Each structure stands twice: as structure tokens, then as C-alpha cells.
Amino acid sequence: MSETASKALGAPAASPDAGRWKALVFIALAQLMVVLDATIVNIALPSAQQDLGISDGNRQWVVTAYALAFGGLLLFGGRIADLWGRKRAFVLGLGGFAVASALGGAATNEAMMFGARALQGVFGALLAPAALSLLAVMFTDAKERAKAFGIYGAIAGGGGAVGLILGGFLTEYLDWRWTFFVNIPFAIVAAAGAYFVIREPEGGRNRSPLDIPGVVLSTLGLVALVYGFTRAESAGWSDSVTVGMFVASVVLLAAFVVVESRVKAPLLPLRVITERNRGGIYLSLGLAIIAMFGLFLFLTYYLQIVKGYSPVKTGFAFLPMIAGMITGSTQIGTRLMTRVAPRLLMGPGFLVAALGMLLLTQLEIGSSYAALLLPAMLLLGLGMGTAFMPAMSLATQGVEPRDAGVASAMVNTSQQVGGAIGTALLNTIAASATTSYIADHIAGAGSRSQQQLVQLEGMVEGYTSAIWFAVGILVVAAGIALTFVNAGRPGSATVTGSGSGEGVADEVQVPVVAH
């Protein structure tokens, strides 16, 4: 890279850090812990609810408290990482997450549990963008970057399914409290390793004053959006509070955009999201996560309730999806990323995942795991792994060092909001189809066993109806990736500037690398 080009992109011409591969181990470990936590608690929820006397009406707060804090504070967490330094934010986030996990595992009542989950979300919002932005600034060589993000993408995609296995083991053979305590050794090892190994490149901090109005508006807007979707799942879409939350979210986020376009040091510089490639990444990734999260939920219920699998057996049933994700990310994505344009991995990747999802629309009560679920999960994993890897890399590519934290936070925000939307939207579709099916068929069921059969058939009908929507969502995600993402392959591309004009060249002929 020429000195002029390097300056134009805001990156110091520095040799790569010798300990970057060791650092990747600890960054990946921390990311695995955060992703695991999103699903591991779901398996333990019934046991925890019984032990702590949490009512059916309040149990959703075990999941919602975490989602609200995490989703609402991600942009703020990304900006804090840019301001304080990513290594410091990373280690602090890990320490706080470990303390919050210890509180959750030691919870004696529902208030303590909800508070611990919210605290996990707060520190997760600091940790997740710091982890991704550290990768972005430490791996600048195109081939090395492809390998590093291949590993990170595999963990980001497959970690949730690993959480189902681990959650099943811990709940069935130990106690639900261990689904919290298991985070503590993860956090201690990752924090100690990061402290001694990570050397953050100099000159990448954003020392501008904090944009307080932006923090308040973005946090309240995202919290309202996530809560609107989680409430819709239980109270319905026409519920007055649900509608009020969506209206408030639109108003707050619109005000946030106006404020960000006018303040001198914005929380989220609009140049980060208006750049064509990054905008396409955030949108397509969010849509893909909507489809994925709904699927995890339906398959877990299908395997446990319809097929009668134990929690541990259910977790193992997801292994082909994990294997597919790891293969797609570390073998297909990593090997091809330096040879083909990212959209030619993302678009086909989402379409392969949609094909796997399409197979699952054929689910019936007696469906064979080997004949239907196994190939469907393999295709889903391969497709998602192949698409996630370039998406994670490109989302922070060409970003000025001072914006690396918020650009990383936007990746996590699209995933978190996508997860909340996916769970609520697809669950609502499934519940409606199930109710309709049972209402149409229950009259013809004379005996109790026939009525139970109709109810199971109704559940499967609901799942397949929602999965059809998930297929459509993945096809749209593929279309967005193929249309919006126009970056060339690393080493031959024109890097499009952020569009702000603030010391960033509009077009510089350089290898595509992160800064």
C-alpha cells in the first residue's frame, strides 16, 4: 500500500502485530461465550423457572432483560471501545460478564435473575463490538484476514447451536445454575490472555467528546424496537403497548438520524452505514438472522415435543448444522474470499441456506431425521457459514480506525435486532397457523389420542408455515447481497470511501484491507 493511500484511508503504515494469532484465540473464546449465552439459557429456562418460582407471565424476562440491554447499548458500547481503547473495553467487558454470570447462577429469586441477565447484556454490549473491532484493526493482510474472519464467522454462526448442546448437558446432568457458572472460566481465560497477548495498534482511538443525545436516542429507540417485537410474541401485534413501542421506536430512531447528521462528533457517523457495501451487509445479515433464530426455536420444539428427544439428544441433533457452518466458513469462505468478490459468496451462500430451509417445509410428525433433517441442516450450515464469513469481514473493511468500534457494533446490532424480530415474527406466524389447523380438524377427532395427534399435527403445520416465510426472507437477503455489495475481491478492488469527505479519499486503488 502506498503511503498516500494509507494516509487517505486513515491507517498508519505499521507492521502486523506478532501476537495476532494468539490474540485471535482469546477473541474467539470471548465471542463463543457471548453467542453461547444467547441459547444456553433457553434450555435451562424451565428448570430455573420452577426453582425460582417465576410465573409464566414473567419468564420471558429471563430472555428479554438480556436482549434489551444488549441490543439497546451496542452502539454505545462500540463508541466506548473507540474512546477508551478496544483492549481495555474487551477486558472490562469480560470481567463484568463473569460477575453478572456469577450473580445469575447464584440467583435466589426472579428479581435477582432478571437483574443479572440485564447486567450480562450491558457488559455483552461492551464486549461484542470490542472483539470484532480488535480483529478488524489487527488483521490487515487480505489472506490472513480471510482466515481470521473465517474462524470468527464460524463461531458467530455455530455458537448458538453449541449452546443448545452444552445447555442440554449442564441442565440434564448438573443443574441449570451451571449454564451461568460456565461463563466464568471462559471469561477469566479470555481476559487474562487478552491482557497479556493483545497489542492494539496505535492511533486508532476516537477521542472526540461523547455524543450524549445520540446515546440516549439510540438506546431508547433500540430498546423500544426490541421490546416491541418481544411483547408482540406474547401479547399480540395489535396490543396497545406493542403498537406504542413501535411508534416510539420509529420516532426515536428518526430523531437519532437527524441528530447524527448535525452533531460534530456523532455516536454513529452516518458514513459508516451509508456506504453501499456496509449498508448491504447490515441489512442482509439482519434478515438472515431473522430466519436462523426462528429455525433454532422451531427445531428445538419439534425435536423435543413432537419427536420426544431429550435436551442432550436435541443438542446433538444440531451438530450437522455446526459442522456445515465451520466447513462453509473456514474452508469455502476462507479459501474463496481472496479469489472472488464477496457478493459471489454471500448471495449463493444465502440461497444454499434457503434450499436447506425449503427442505424443512416438508416436515411431518413422522419425518426421518437422516432423510430430511440431516441434509437440511447440512445445507443450512454450509450456506450460512459461507455467507457469514465475508459479511463479517466486509462489515469492518475500509473503516477508519476511529469508527471501527461503531462499525462492529452495527454488525452485532443487526444480529441482535434480527434475532428479536425473527423469534417474535416467525413465532406469531407459527402460532396462528397452529390455532387455525386445530380449529379446522379437532371436531373430527373423537378419542383423546386422536385429539393429541391433531394438536401435534397443528404444531408441525405451524412450524412449516413459518419456515416458508424464512425461505422467502433468505431469498431476499441473497438478493440484497447480490445487488448492494459491489466490492471486488481483496487485492484487486477499488476501496470506496465512507462518503464523508473527512480525510478519506473517495476512491483509492489499494488492496482491500481493514484499518
Side-chain angles (χ1 to χ4, degrees):
M1 180 187 290
S2 71
E3 187 178 344
T4 308
S6 184
K7 285 178 180 175
L9 284 171
S15 58
D17 175 31
R20 62 194 179 282
W21 289 108
K22 290 179 185 174
L24 174 63
V25 173
F26 300 112
I27 292 169
L29 189 63
Q31 174 65 13
L32 179 62
M33 181 187 73
V34 172
V35 178
L36 279 177
D37 199 71
T39 52
I40 197 171
V41 175
N42 290 347
I43 294 276
L45 188 52
S47 304
Q49 181 186 355
Q50 191 174 358
D51 269 13
L52 301 178
I54 302 172
S55 68
D56 284 349
N58 284 342
R59 69 179 173 188
Q60 64 157 334
W61 283 100
V62 177
V63 176
T64 305
Y66 177 82
L68 291 182
F70 190 56
L73 292 170
L74 271 166
L75 284 176
F76 182 45
R79 178 67 180 84
I80 290 294
D82 285 338
L83 182 66
W84 288 354
R86 291 160 200 102
K87 175 179 174 178
R88 187 179 299 172
F90 183 72
V91 173
L92 180 64
L94 282 165
F97 202 90
V99 170
S101 298
L103 287 172
T108 54
N109 55 50
E110 64 178 36
M112 190 172 171
M113 169 62 79
F114 300 156
R117 288 291 284 161
L119 201 59
Q120 278 187 315
V122 169
F123 285 104
L126 182 62
L127 171 61
L132 185 55
S133 56
L134 275 170
L135 278 192
V137 297
M138 291 179 80
F139 289 89
T140 54
D141 174 75
K143 286 189 177 180
E144 286 194 349
R145 183 182 175 86
K147 288 178 185 174
F149 276 88
I151 294 165
Y152 187 89
I155 289 169
V162 176
L164 295 171
I165 297 173
L166 193 56
F169 256 107
L170 294 172
T171 304
E172 201 164 316
Y173 296 118
L174 290 172
D175 185 73
W176 66 265
R177 295 181 185 277
W178 282 96
T179 61
F180 287 89
F181 292 145
V182 75
N183 290 330
I184 299 171
F186 273 99
I188 290 171
V189 172
Y195 183 80
F196 290 110
V197 170
I198 290 177
R199 299 284 177 268
E200 189 178 346
E202 294 293 324
R205 289 202 196 170
N206 184 344
R207 299 184 186 276
S208 306
L210 200 57
D211 169 24
I212 301 299
V215 170
V216 173
L217 288 169
S218 68
T219 301
L220 292 177
L222 287 169
V223 164
L225 182 64
V226 173
Y227 183 57
F229 276 106
T230 53
R231 185 175 174 85
E233 188 184 348
S234 55
W237 296 92
S238 58
D239 173 69
S240 58
V241 177
T242 303
V243 174
M245 283 293 148
F246 286 136
V247 171
S249 172
V250 170
V251 171
L252 288 163
L253 292 176
F256 172 67
V257 171
V258 172
V259 167
E260 297 309 274
S261 67
R262 296 183 178 180
V263 295
K264 188 176 179 182
L267 173 70
L268 175 63
L270 295 182
R271 60 180 174 264
V272 171
I273 54 173
T274 54
E275 198 275 313
R276 176 174 178 159
N277 289 290
R278 281 193 291 277
I281 293 284
Y282 299 144
L283 196 53
S284 60
L285 207 55
L287 286 169
I289 293 292
I290 289 175
M292 279 292 287
F293 262 65
L295 181 77
F296 276 153
L297 193 70
F298 297 142
L299 280 185
T300 302
Y301 280 130
Y302 173 79
L303 291 169
Q304 288 195 29
I305 297 173
V306 178
K307 303 295 278 186
Y309 284 21
S310 68
V312 171
K313 192 176 178 183
T314 300
F316 274 108
F318 280 96
L319 274 178
M321 190 187 294
I322 301 171
M325 280 185 177
I326 292 171
T327 304
S329 190
T330 62
Q331 299 304 310
I332 302 171
T334 300
R335 291 173 187 275
L336 293 180
M337 190 179 158
T338 53
R339 299 177 187 177
V340 301
R343 71 171 184 271
L344 298 180
L345 289 173
M346 290 179 64
F350 288 139
L351 289 175
V352 168
L355 183 60
M357 202 76 86
L358 189 64
L359 286 179
L360 291 174
T361 60
Q362 306 306 307
L363 269 184
E364 294 175 355
I365 288 179
S367 291
S368 161
Y369 177 84
L372 182 66
L373 275 80
L374 178 64
M377 286 197 198
L378 280 171
L379 286 170
L380 268 163
L382 276 172
M384 286 295 193
T386 302
F388 270 37
M389 188 258 148
M392 292 285 182
S393 176
L394 198 60
T396 51
Q397 197 163 269
V399 176
E400 298 176 60
R402 59 190 173 138
D403 295 335
V406 288
S408 302
M410 275 302 299
V411 178
N412 288 286
T413 301
S414 67
Q415 290 179 300
Q416 192 63 26
V417 172
I421 293 171
T423 304
L425 181 65
L426 296 179
N427 233 5
T428 307
I429 293 166
S432 175
T434 296
T435 305
S436 176
Y437 182 92
I438 291 173
D440 289 346
H441 295 80
I442 200 72
S447 67
R448 184 176 177 80
S449 61
Q450 286 177 322
Q451 289 175 353
Q452 288 176 333
L453 182 64
V454 167
Q455 287 177 332
L456 287 176
E457 286 173 343
M459 287 175 68
V460 176
E461 177 70 20
Y463 301 155
T464 54
S465 298
I467 290 169
W468 272 111
F469 275 85
V471 172
I473 290 167
L474 280 172
V475 170
V476 171
I480 289 170
L482 289 167
T483 306
F484 282 82
V485 180
N486 64 352
R489 66 182 177 83
S492 67
T494 296
V495 176
T496 306
S498 56
S500 68
E502 296 178 25
V504 183
D506 284 337
E507 288 190 342
V508 187
Q509 295 287 342
V510 290
V512 177
V513 293
H515 304 287

